[in-house]
Amino acid sequence: MVIPEKNIPPMSNDLYDSPPPHPKKRFGQHFLTDRNVIRKIVAVARLTPDDCVVEIGPGRGALTEGLLATGARVIAIELDRELAPLLKEKLPSGNLEVIEADALKVSFPAISGRLGKRFKVVSNLPYNISGHIVAKFINERAAISLMVLMFQKEVARRLVARPGTGEYGLLSVFSQLYADLKVEFDLSRNLFFPKPKVDSSVVSFRFLDAPRVEIGDEAFFSSVVKSSFTQRRKTLLNSLKHLGMEKEKLLKALERRGIDPRRRGETLTLEEFSGLSLELYRLRAAGVEIIAS
């Protein structure tokens, strides 16, 4: 049973009102200070006492306390050696496990294996690792069922961007390939300490059972997409030369999939990336001479 938002008890004043440790810029720390926003984040995650949730960068523990209030088991991963023991002290709970580590180096499949099930991720992500940690989540998605993550607003817009827009890029393609995404709500920069220079957004990820489109060889598909965005101003034909394939093969693959070689990678849909990757992989594997028509 999902615990309704109204049943989540009020959070401790000392998590908000006590003098915080000095925020460390190198960790991208911006502490969320609004209780109502925390309740909204917890409600989006729809946690139950049967859930296990991983939080990256718990900071002073304001969101952590809200997660624990649902009865879920919480694994908090904190790099700051000053904040990790403070979290244990302020939130003594048998349901809280604090791991002092760099989240980019933690094995999420290992955590899932230890738990014997997939877990949810709910976090106010440190700004300085948001893109890298999303890439890691996607690569290790088999361990995760749902994510509710807070980003800088511009990063959130990149995640859900459509082809042909300036925000559309690698993060958009790979996130949308493997998950249903939704911008749940935006937050003012005034709700954080210290106040960042930008506003934020909360985004939910619901991982799919299979990629949204057929991709064939995953590593090759990834290479095609990355090559397409290597230099955004270049045409698709010139960008794809990074694959190390002959120009004739590139032209033939584009022609067979009805893609103008003068287009740019940022204009391709997931379906077009799928078709192009499959065609290029087939031509490369065939190893035949192709004469441009």
Side-chain angles (χ1 to χ4, degrees), residues 11 15-16 29-42 55 57-64 123-125 127 150 185 187-194 196 200 202:
M11 285 163 271
L15 288 170
Y16 298 88
Q29 292 174 342
H30 295 277
F31 302 134
L32 182 60
T33 60
D34 189 276
R35 295 174 173 85
N36 291 326
V37 170
I38 289 170
R39 296 178 198 279
K40 288 177 67 175
I41 295 171
V42 172
E55 183 185 8
R60 297 172 64 200
L63 177 56
T64 315
S123 300
N124 169 19
L125 292 175
Y127 286 169
M150 190 186 303
F185 55 88
L187 297 89
S188 166
R189 66 195 73 184
N190 296 319
L191 302 177
F192 298 85
F193 172 81
S200 299
V202 171

Side-chain angles (χ1 to χ4, degrees), residues 47 53 63-74 91 93 95-96:
L47 296 172
V53 57
L63 177 56
T64 315
E65 187 179 28
L67 298 173
L68 287 168
T70 67
R73 178 178 176 181
V74 178
L91 295 173
S93 170
N95 276 351
L96 175 62

Side-chain angles (χ1 to χ4, degrees), residues 171-190:
L171 200 59
S172 320
V173 171
F174 289 111
S175 296
Q176 295 172 34
L177 176 65
Y178 294 112
D180 287 329
L181 285 80
K182 180 183 178 183
V183 177
E184 298 288 349
F185 55 88
D186 298 327
L187 297 89
S188 166
R189 66 195 73 184
N190 296 319

Side-chain angles (χ1 to χ4, degrees), residues 33-268:
T33 60
D34 189 276
R35 295 174 173 85
N36 291 326
V37 170
I38 289 170
R39 296 178 198 279
K40 288 177 67 175
I41 295 171
V42 172
V44 171
R46 298 182 63 82
L47 296 172
T48 76
D50 293 328
D51 283 322
C52 180
V53 57
V54 169
E55 183 185 8
I56 308 299
R60 297 172 64 200
L63 177 56
T64 315
E65 187 179 28
L67 298 173
L68 287 168
T70 67
R73 178 178 176 181
V74 178
I75 298 176
I77 302 175
E78 178 56 68
L79 179 60
D80 190 332
R81 292 184 177 180
E82 182 180 5
L83 287 175
L86 182 66
L87 197 65
K88 299 174 187 177
E89 176 186 336
K90 288 196 171 185
L91 295 173
S93 170
N95 276 351
L96 175 62
E97 176 185 352
V98 179
I99 299 176
E100 296 183 37
D102 181 345
L104 292 171
K105 298 178 181 178
V106 170
S107 169
F108 295 119
I111 292 178
S112 176
R114 175 162 60 88
L115 296 171
K117 61 181 179 181
R118 301 167 80 189
F119 54 82
K120 296 180 178 180
V121 179
V122 183
S123 300
N124 169 19
L125 292 175
Y127 286 169
N128 60 345
I129 67 165
S130 57
H132 294 295
I133 196 68
V134 168
K136 179 175 175 63
F137 285 143
I138 291 172
N139 288 335
E140 301 182 13
R141 62 191 178 277
I144 305 166
S145 58
L146 168 74
M147 301 196 300
V148 180
L149 304 176
M150 190 186 303
F151 300 93
Q152 295 180 59
K153 193 172 182 178
E154 63 182 59
V155 176
R157 296 303 178 263
R158 284 166 52 199
L159 287 164
V160 300
R162 309 312 301 169
T165 63
E167 294 83 9
Y168 187 68
L170 291 175
L171 200 59
S172 320
V173 171
F174 289 111
S175 296
Q176 295 172 34
L177 176 65
Y178 294 112
D180 287 329
L181 285 80
K182 180 183 178 183
V183 177
E184 298 288 349
F185 55 88
D186 298 327
L187 297 89
S188 166
R189 66 195 73 184
N190 296 319
L191 302 177
F192 298 85
F193 172 81
K195 183 170 73 172
K197 296 179 181 180
V198 296
D199 295 329
S200 299
S201 299
V202 171
V203 182
S204 62
F205 294 65
R206 289 172 172 81
F207 283 113
L208 305 170
D209 293 333
R212 192 176 301 279
V213 295
E214 183 182 359
I215 62 173
D217 184 277
E218 187 171 9
F220 187 74
F221 176 87
S222 178
S223 296
V224 170
V225 175
K226 289 177 180 178
S227 294
S228 300
F229 285 101
T230 299
Q231 292 180 285
R232 295 179 71 98
R233 292 181 179 274
K234 281 192 172 184
T235 65
L236 196 56
L237 178 61
N238 285 328
S239 296
L240 290 172
K241 289 179 181 178
H242 288 276
L243 292 172
M245 295 178 66
E246 298 93 333
K247 180 179 179 180
E248 290 77 13
K249 286 189 177 183
L250 297 175
L251 283 169
K252 181 58 71 173
L254 289 164
E255 176 187 339
R256 287 180 176 176
R257 292 295 172 167
I259 300 172
D260 188 333
R262 295 170 296 181
R263 288 173 62 184
R264 292 182 171 87
E266 65 192 50
T267 69
L268 266 63

